[in-house]
Amino acid sequence: MTRIAYLGPAGTFTEQAARQFPVDGAEYVPVDSPASALAALAGGEVDYAVCAIENSVDGAVTATADALAATPGVQIMGETELAIAFAVMTQPGVALSRATRLATHPVAFQQVKQWVGVHAPDAQFVPAASNAAAAQMVADGQADIAVAPERAAELFGLTVHATGVADSETARTRFVLVGKQGALPAPTGADRTAVVLRTPNEPGALVGVLKEFAARGVDMSRIESRPTREEPNTYQFFVDLVGHAQDPDVADALRAVEDKASSVLFLGSWARA
Amino acid sequence: MTRIAYLGPAGTFTEQAARQFPVDGAEYVPVDSPASALAALAGGEVDYAVCAIENSVDGAVTATADALAATPGVQIMGETELAIAFAVMTQPGVALSRATRLATHPVAFQQVKQWVGVHAPDAQFVPAASNAAAAQMVADGQADIAVAPERAAELFGLTVHATGVADSETARTRFVLVGKQGALPAPTGADRTAVVLRTPNEPGALVGVLKEFAARGVDMSRIESRPTREEPNTYQFFVDLVGHAQDPDVADALRAVEDKASSVLFLGSWARA
């Protein structure tokens, strides 16, 4: 049995993403944060962890980035994408127009505010700890409407009034499948490589490192500076490269970067979704 | 009367930060998001907006970055820093050990989880829409304990049991004072300059731009790629520079960058906190 940790409870988008990876006979284990998912993986309690890594609207998922940088012995093996759109649900037989308490996670509420203003203008927002918890609140009678992933309606026996609800139609989230460090997935010709760099604390040091990619025509698809959390005002850089660490140009650039950066943490090479 | 918009309601950290800027006879206007604060500024309803821009633990505040990039005619004029630590409060005469429902914003809850585990292990987490709303919930009897900025206790007549509560002792948030576009604050010798860059979509384009800073010894203190929200997989880069746009090296680098980038949005030059 392959055990896969994900940000729970059951019914979250991360669970939905975890189920998109082709794993036979998997058991899905809900945990309470990306850091817990990776800790369970590093500790051998699960075989894989699935974590949200980037949202097309909100950018990097910082909790996952920090957890990847802080957990030794893990490696990204693959990715999948989900369109982030919500379902609106109530207990069976309840009309939306009569429902007054609308529960969802505060972040989700930001993403559906315009829709709610039009379709349930009188509903009062009741914050929930997660979208799945919002569905539970409706099931328990503590709220009338939940805004949650569609799967939550199934889990809690609720009626779905609308699906695909999202103020921004292009919101997509990318999730990664993280495994134990080991052999890289084979190059496919359409791959992504992620590294975390630290550079000497002097002007131009970062550019000196990034030049090694540019000089070889290796494109960066993303770069984020993040506090190291070790000392104030010290940063590490999360860089996504287009290509696989076994592609000659990428391999060559990574060797050159090893010499210039103060540290390079390799997070993996895998096929793009 | 100088009107200053901030992320409300009254009692938030942003209100506390807004009051740290030396403005005589200011009126503080609560709004519901960084975007609303900047919209009120652009629309002439207020004279300044105060927004959180970076947290030493969580990194960039993406809602503020995106709103700055999307609101024409505004400019950062100054900054201030706050140590992010919470107060724990109840109604007068209530013992912490007897309190069972603990209200706070889910993000704040993540920052005090360890403390709560030790000092109020039996308390059930009740999510609130903001930290200040949590204090309101305690005042109204819907929760027993609130975790909120200390000022909220004053506003809602609550008793403070502990202050300075934070699992990470170094958490600090930087807030910016944003005004209408106009004259730059004078250079102080310890300044920060922020720009938003877009580059042609080709390998090495970003490095080509950043090289102009490095060549002149201008240090970047921060860089973040953020989705443009206009087209999937297109990015803009938020770059903080050490120095003032009127410093000769910075001015010279910015002129060179104008030629190479597809667009450069200048967000301001101001004294570092």
Side-chain angles (χ1 to χ4, degrees):
Chain A
M1 179 77 87
T2 303
R3 288 167 60 85
I4 303 181
Y6 70 94
L7 178 63
T12 59
F13 283 115
T14 310
E15 187 200 3
Q16 202 176 317
R19 290 176 183 273
Q20 282 189 188
F21 289 104
V23 178
D24 283 339
E27 181 188 348
Y28 298 91
V29 182
V31 295
D32 69 358
S33 69
S36 309
L38 295 183
L41 172 62
E45 297 149 50
V46 298
D47 303 290
Y48 293 102
V50 171
C51 301
I53 194 158
E54 190 186 17
N55 181 286
S56 63
V57 174
D58 291 328
V61 178
T62 55
T64 297
D66 290 342
L68 282 167
T71 310
V74 303
Q75 177 182 313
I76 300 173
M77 307 300 286
E79 68 178 37
T80 190
E81 260 195 6
L82 271 189
I84 299 300
F86 296 88
V88 175
M89 52 197 78
T90 64
Q91 286 199 6
V94 173
L96 266 197
S97 54
R98 286 218 249 128
T100 54
R101 296 164 303 168
L102 180 146
T104 192
H105 187 275
V107 171
F109 185 61
Q110 294 300 327
Q111 293 168 1
V112 299
K113 241 175 166 171
Q114 290 170 28
W115 189 94
V116 168
V118 173
H119 296 91
D122 298 330
Q124 294 297 307
F125 167 49
V126 181
S130 72
N131 300 321
Q136 170 92 63
M137 287 168 76
V138 170
D140 293 350
Q142 298 167 276
D144 305 304
I145 312 178
V147 175
E150 192 168 359
R151 188 174 146 72
E154 212 176 287
L155 289 170
F156 295 103
L158 303 178
T159 297
V160 171
H161 292 263
T163 59
V165 173
D167 293 346
S168 166
E169 277 172 37
T170 57
R172 299 183 69 78
T173 295
R174 197 156 54 85
F175 296 83
V176 288
L177 179 70
V178 187
K180 287 284 186 76
Q181 226 161 48
L184 300 187
T188 65
D191 302 295
R192 199 190 297 273
T193 292
V195 291
V196 186
L197 308 171
R198 295 195 185 186
T199 61
N201 192 8
E202 54 198 42
L206 175 65
V207 174
V209 168
L210 301 183
K211 266 199 313 212
E212 301 298 338
F213 298 123
R216 292 165 182 85
V218 174
D219 200 10
M220 288 185 291
S221 55
R222 201 160 67 91
I223 179 167
E224 311 279 339
S225 56
R226 301 268 312 134
T228 61
R229 294 175 167 222
E230 286 162 17
E231 234 184 298
N233 299 314
T234 61
Y235 291 87
Q236 50 193 352
F237 300 91
F238 289 75
V239 177
D240 279 9
L241 304 170
V242 176
H244 193 285
Q246 290 167 1
D247 295 347
D249 286 346
V250 177
D252 195 36
L254 287 175
R255 269 190 298 269
V257 163
E258 290 268 4
D259 289 341
K260 288 201 171 175
S262 18
S263 76
V264 180
L265 174 66
F266 178 73
L267 294 182
S269 283
W270 65 94
R272 300 178 71 141
Chain B
M1 179 76 87
T2 304
R3 289 168 58 84
I4 303 181
Y6 70 94
L7 177 63
T12 58
F13 284 114
T14 310
E15 187 201 4
Q16 201 176 318
R19 291 177 182 272
Q20 283 189 189
F21 289 104
V23 178
D24 284 340
E27 181 189 347
Y28 297 91
V29 181
V31 297
D32 70 357
S33 68
S36 309
L38 295 183
L41 172 62
E45 297 150 49
V46 298
D47 304 290
Y48 294 101
V50 171
C51 301
I53 194 159
E54 190 187 18
N55 180 286
S56 63
V57 175
D58 291 329
V61 178
T62 54
T64 298
D66 290 342
L68 282 167
T71 311
V74 303
Q75 178 184 312
I76 301 173
M77 308 299 285
E79 68 178 39
T80 191
E81 260 194 7
L82 271 189
I84 299 301
F86 296 88
V88 175
M89 53 197 78
T90 65
Q91 286 199 6
V94 172
L96 266 197
S97 54
R98 285 217 249 129
T100 54
R101 296 166 302 168
L102 180 146
T104 193
H105 188 276
V107 171
F109 185 62
Q110 295 300 326
Q111 293 168 1
V112 300
K113 238 175 169 174
Q114 291 170 26
W115 189 94
V116 168
V118 172
H119 296 90
D122 297 332
Q124 293 298 305
F125 168 49
V126 182
S130 71
N131 300 320
Q136 171 91 65
M137 287 168 75
V138 170
D140 293 351
Q142 297 168 276
D144 306 303
I145 311 178
V147 175
E150 194 168 358
R151 187 173 147 72
E154 212 177 287
L155 289 169
F156 295 104
L158 303 180
T159 297
V160 172
H161 293 263
T163 59
V165 173
D167 293 344
S168 166
E169 278 172 35
T170 58
R172 299 183 71 77
T173 295
R174 196 155 56 85
F175 296 83
V176 288
L177 179 73
V178 187
K180 286 285 186 75
Q181 223 160 53
L184 299 188
T188 65
D191 302 296
R192 200 190 296 275
T193 292
V195 292
V196 186
L197 308 170
R198 294 194 186 187
T199 60
N201 192 8
E202 52 198 42
L206 175 64
V207 174
V209 168
L210 300 183
K211 265 199 311 214
E212 301 298 337
F213 298 122
R216 291 163 182 86
V218 174
D219 200 11
M220 290 185 291
S221 57
R222 203 159 66 91
I223 179 167
E224 312 277 340
S225 57
R226 302 266 313 134
T228 60
R229 293 175 169 225
E230 286 162 16
E231 232 185 298
N233 299 315
T234 60
Y235 292 87
Q236 49 193 355
F237 300 91
F238 289 75
V239 177
D240 279 10
L241 304 170
V242 177
H244 193 285
Q246 290 166 0
D247 295 346
D249 287 345
V250 177
D252 194 37
L254 287 174
R255 270 191 298 271
V257 163
E258 291 267 6
D259 289 342
K260 288 201 171 175
S262 16
S263 76
V264 179
L265 174 66
F266 178 73
L267 294 182
S269 283
W270 65 94
R272 300 179 70 141

